Amino acid sequence: MAVFLHSAEKTYSYEELMRYINTSSTYCPYFLSKDLYTYFANLIKALVTNQPVVLIDADSSPADMPYLDFALVNKPQEVGECSFKDMGELIEALCQSTSEITIFTSGTTGQPKRVVHSVATLARNVRRGEHYKEHVWAYAYNPTHMAGTQVFFQALMNQNTMVNVFGEPREVIYQQIERYGITHISATPTFYRMLMPFEKAYPSVKRVTLGGEKSDKQLYEHICKIFPNAKVNNVYASTEAGSLFAAKDDCFQIPANIRDKFRVENDELLIHKSLLGQSDSFAFDGEYYHSGDLIEWVNETEGLFRFKSRKNELINVGGYKVNPGEVEDAINAIEGVQQSLVYVRANSILGNIVVAEVKLVKGAALTDLEIRKVLASQLQDFKVPRKIQIVNELSMTRTGKLKRS
Amino acid sequence: MKEKVLEVINMIRVAKNLPLVESVTDNTRLREDLDLTSFDMAELTVRIEDEYGIDIFETGLVNTIGEIYAKLQK
């Protein structure tokens, strides 16, 4: 029978998964586990029995989640056994699930917000059918976050195999791609940057999806070299709304059937409440939610746009607004740079100043001054980081995004 | 400490393609004599803060090298 998951040197079949779902009589509404298989098994048990479930990051401590009673964590609750005859039946039950699924936003700043979703909103963009069988997914996201649930549903509903590569180093990721013949990867741009530089092509990969943060042209070129047979696309998903639209290259297209559910104000994308999960912390402006994502139209009548940055990420330097993503793009384009992180430091003269951490490609010998000179020739003066540190590793958040604080 | 201040100033001047200065005195003015803009002075504070843990502009404007020394000697 087909393999459900390869994780931490263990292999779990769909048969084993189904046996567990049928024979276990309990599940944990608040489940915290570093083991991906037991995490998924608990989630599936909750969904097929229509029970509420809260997705808790395996690295959470009580201090991270003051609104959660930690005494409840990993406390099993009786729900009774199931009697699914095959995976098809189990998946149908999953699709019909009325469970409330609580997800926390991962935001780079501030307290996490809780958002309640249903299978209907989370699996809105799952594609099923002959064409989607036999896919082998690299599981590269944090499983408790929106993007991770998207990959989970897409793979599970098609009985695909997942290979856990979340948090693994570069060599291990490449090994797993070859060993299991991974065909699909969905991950943050940061994940793909970690795979640079190009050393060898991996022809088994047919589809590469980027999500979660802005990515640049240079990264696309590298991805195309490493995965020469892959179609590359970008996905726009948020904890608030789930996956909304995907597109080719660096543009997104709002599907025609939901185009009237969006507005743009001061470059910010506004999403109609009918597309969102439930949360007390959403502040609506009439019927619309401010996404905080700044976009520019490429073709407004066709709903085609480009993602510019996060609104709250703009750095105010002595009254000038700096988009850290733009500065990172410029740094990443310099020969010898593997990855960069541009962030803000409080300053008594200008309010803030822009500083950067840069990770170089192995063997490259660039100095902070050389990087600054290149940037000075390309960017306005106020955008050039005033201090550039060459580092071995950049600081990252648990979602695999870069940490700007 | 005086050499360090000079080193930081030259670091900033190099990035602006200005010639290195050999020496500074207490009366050397940051803006007029060393051509430092407010952005450069912001950089100066960050670099000195990383070195000595002191924000030289925290309690008000600093105009000369001597005033920097004074802040660092407190």
Side-chain angles (χ1 to χ4, degrees), chain A residues 4-7 36 39-40 43 55 136-156 161-168 173 176 182 184-187 191:
Chain A
F4 165 58
L5 176 71
H6 297 286
S7 180
L36 194 59
Y39 169 81
F40 281 153
L43 175 59
L55 307 188
V136 180
W137 286 85
Y139 198 80
Y141 281 116
N142 183 322
T144 64
H145 292 154
M146 181 52 80
T149 65
Q150 304 284 309
V151 176
F152 166 73
F153 282 116
Q154 176 66 38
L156 179 70
T161 298
M162 288 182 277
V163 181
N164 186 13
V165 297
F166 177 63
E168 296 289 358
I173 295 166
Q176 308 283 62
I182 286 171
H184 285 63
I185 308 177
S186 179
F191 174 91

Side-chain angles (χ1 to χ4, degrees), chain B residues 26-67:
Chain B
D26 281 9
N27 297 325
T28 308
R29 292 166 302 174
L30 302 176
R31 204 176 278 276
E32 295 82 353
D33 301 326
L34 295 170
D35 292 320
L36 300 189
T37 64
S38 50
F39 277 78
D40 300 328
M41 286 196 255
E43 179 179 344
L44 182 74
T45 57
V46 163
R47 292 189 181 275
I48 289 182
E49 193 176 352
D50 286 350
E51 202 69 38
Y52 299 100
I54 296 168
D55 178 353
I56 50 172
F57 279 88
E58 196 180 9
T59 50
L61 222 55
V62 169
N63 295 307
T64 65
I65 291 289
E67 289 167 42

